[in-house]
Amino acid sequence: ISLVFENVSNISGSIPSQLGMLTQLTTFLISYSNVVGLASVLGRLTNLRTFNLYMNKLRATMPTEIGKLTSLTSLEWTNNQLIGTLHTELGLLKDLTSLHIDENFLTGTLPSEMGLLTNIRSLRVHLNILAGSIPSQLGKLDNVYDLSLGSCAFT
């Protein structure tokens, strides 16, 4: 099952908790819209492979439940208003090939667990308020061809 709303500007509000009932959902995409919140039942969507919410007005922290979505291959939440830190649970997403969380307001450091994303090909975290050292574990990600860490305060 796929739910795709691309370039649909009249979608607004929070993603409803009823979304958690769609346990066979494999693709969920809303872009260029006015989504501002996430449902707290995302952890039930264990068959989800694509979870893209780019170019919205998402004002939320990244939920820790994201680590339960172990079938994810694409997580793209570019150009929203995400706040808070990146959770170590991101390292549980072993099938992830694309992680785009750039152009948000994320703070803290890159968790070393991101070095466990051995299938990642595209990793974009630029234009956030991230700081600190870049984990040496990222150097072990042999499949990366698109790595964007700019406009952060990394040392």
Side-chain angles (χ1 to χ4, degrees), residues 106-126:
L106 295 166
T107 57
T109 60
L110 287 177
S112 59
E113 289 80 1
M114 290 180 76
L116 300 172
L117 302 176
T118 55
N119 289 310
I120 200 82
R121 300 177 65 76
S122 181
L123 175 59
R124 297 180 186 174
V125 298
H126 64 274

Side-chain angles (χ1 to χ4, degrees), residues 70-90:
T70 56
S71 296
L72 275 183
T73 58
S74 176
L75 179 63
E76 298 185 11
W77 292 2
T78 295
N79 200 336
N80 280 287
Q81 298 171 21
L82 290 176
I83 58 171
T85 59
L86 295 174
H87 300 297
T88 58
E89 286 84 359
L90 282 171

Side-chain angles (χ1 to χ4, degrees), residues 28 41 53 55 72 75 108 134:
F28 185 61
V41 293
L53 296 172
M55 303 291 286
L72 275 183
L75 179 63
I134 296 171

